[in-house]
Amino acid sequence: MNVYRNYINGQWLESASEKTALNINPADVRDIIGTVKFSTRGEARGAVEAAYNAFKDWKNTPAPTRGKIVARFARLLEGDQENLARMLTREEGKTLAESRGELQRSINVAEFCAGEARRLNGETIQSELSANFAYTIKEPHGVVAVITPWNFPVAIPVWKIAPALVAGNTVVFKPAEATPATAVRICELFEAAGIPKGVLNLILGAGAEVGDEIINHAAVKAISFTGSTATGIKLYEQAARRGAKVQCEMGGKNPVVVMKDCDLDLAAESTVSGAFGSTGQRCTATSRAVVVDQIADEFVRKIIEKAEQMRIGDGADSTTEMGPMVDEKQFRNVLKYIDIGREDGAELLTGGRRAPGENLENGYFIEPTVFDRVTSDMRIAQEEIFGPVLSILRVKDFDEAMLVANDSQYGLTSSIFTDDPNLIFRFVHEIETGMTHINSPTTGGEAHIPFGGVKMTGIGAREQGSTALDFYTELKVVYVDYTGRKREGNLY
Ligand code: NAD
């Protein structure tokens, strides 16, 4: 049995902990992939200390040299793409096509960040005083904690670790409990790329223990977290007490607004792919369709037709369009929300139960589920379900659509389907989300384009793109007086 090990100070170490969990293929629970040991708080402190001790040398390593290691990692990731994609599907459940896409995004991000190592520029600034000038330098924080969820277990760690390293920080990486295999592989590839010992450390274990230990450790100067809003806000409170920098990307409840003048087939197809792609287990998933009354019946008919045609199964099968829930906890949670939707009076149009069928009985499969006549006050319209459940909210016009779309504590992404340019610009102006899409699904992003949300979804600098390194650097301002005498003027 494969027992996953921690990677601390350049060594692969098995945890001494007695607490373990099995890593199980969610498409077939008889397929045991390995055993994860829940590391101790002491081992977590060891990982932080290794990162702390490695920081000075890494900071003093020229940024382009740091970038070369990240570039080598990108090439190794490319060489390992198919292997890692299959590992990801087996561990997390998404389809192989989705896993390959996630790997491609990760390669793109690593390439982008490697290039940023040659652009770690500050600015020179003219002073008010003669024979004086000022400039800025971007410097690393020190030890950065990277805490990640299970739903994009390759891409999210890469889009945090790569910029953190390029900026000159050392890293303690704490992946989600459910996805240890992919986390180990990422670190193996960084090791093969030549990362010096202690610069990147992996600690496997429970969020409430090793995660808690890391975020409260005085040597950890910054924390980049992606996960649920409940965990993120708690972490933010704790880190604030000791002044640590925090970046949190959290939950979503992403709306698509469907207007009467749109291409209805395109809107339905995009909504189905946004709602049920990755089994609805992505932060950018479409969970609310806000539809004007005039076309609602026809839109709903098209959605149901497409949802019922989806092929559910093991992601490793090339014909599968939707895989399982990641684990039993998520499986039960989604079924619980389906019950809540029924109890709150929403109209269940399709799905709503464990998916029946040959070869599905040993996995955590749920049918694509659509509720109609959902109202904004219902829990299924407000709370993140994180599964293949779409709520249809009917509205009379654009103004009501905007009220409903914005009636959420979350603000990650959104989209609108309309051919009216005035409505498009009004939508972009009024929608309260960090990202938005016009006539395309709520999902998707690119390595060189910033990513993140507002309201209870996002705290701190945006990830990726031109802002990828913002969170991982401090700005130092330098004043140089080259008069050689006492300052004559005053600076206020
Ligand atoms: P989660 O909050 O349960 O866990 C995320 C990580 O935090 C895990 O590694 C976990 O072990 C750790 N953790 C848990 N408790 C902790 C604590 N007390 N201290 C420190 N660390 C702790 O989230 P999840 O279920 O793994 O992921 C799903 C969530 O992630 C969804 O809400 C989804 O929307 C969100 N997500 C957001 C984005 C985004 O960019 N906005 C992207 C992907 C996923």
Side-chain angles (χ1 to χ4, degrees), residues 146-152 156 159-160 174-178 205-216 223 225-232 234-235 238 248-253 281-284 326 329-330 384 386 410 412 435 451-453 457-458 463-464:
V146 164
I147 300 185
T148 55
W150 45 263
N151 69 327
F152 279 83
I156 294 176
W159 81 48
K160 292 179 189 297
K174 208 306 272 167
E177 292 86 325
E209 282 188 46
V210 293
D212 182 72
E213 189 67 32
I214 295 165
I215 62 169
N216 289 302
I223 302 156
F225 167 86
T226 298
S228 63
T229 295
T231 309
K234 191 170 149 225
L235 178 157
Q238 289 178 294
C248 288
E249 283 300 340
M250 304 175 283
K253 194 73 196 168
Q281 299 180 115
R282 54 184 169 192
C283 52
T284 56
V326 70
K329 186 170 155 239
Q330 279 299 116
E384 187 184 42
F386 224 53
Y410 299 111
L412 186 57
M435 300 176 285
F451 181 97
T457 294
E463 305 198 79
Q464 301 175 74

Side-chain angles (χ1 to χ4, degrees), residues 6 8 19 38-49 143-147 172-174 177 203-223 225 231 234-235 238-239 241-242 244:
N6 294 322
I8 299 174
K19 271 197 241 168
F38 284 38
S39 308
T40 62
R41 285 181 179 267
E43 288 162 342
R45 284 195 294 278
V48 175
E49 279 153 28
V143 179
V144 170
V146 164
I147 300 185
V172 176
F173 168 32
K174 208 306 272 167
E177 292 86 325
I203 183 92
L204 300 166
E209 282 188 46
V210 293
D212 182 72
E213 189 67 32
I214 295 165
I215 62 169
N216 289 302
H217 197 298
V220 173
K221 299 296 177 204
I223 302 156
F225 167 86
T231 309
K234 191 170 149 225
L235 178 157
Q238 289 178 294
R241 280 187 223 125
R242 58 182 189 85

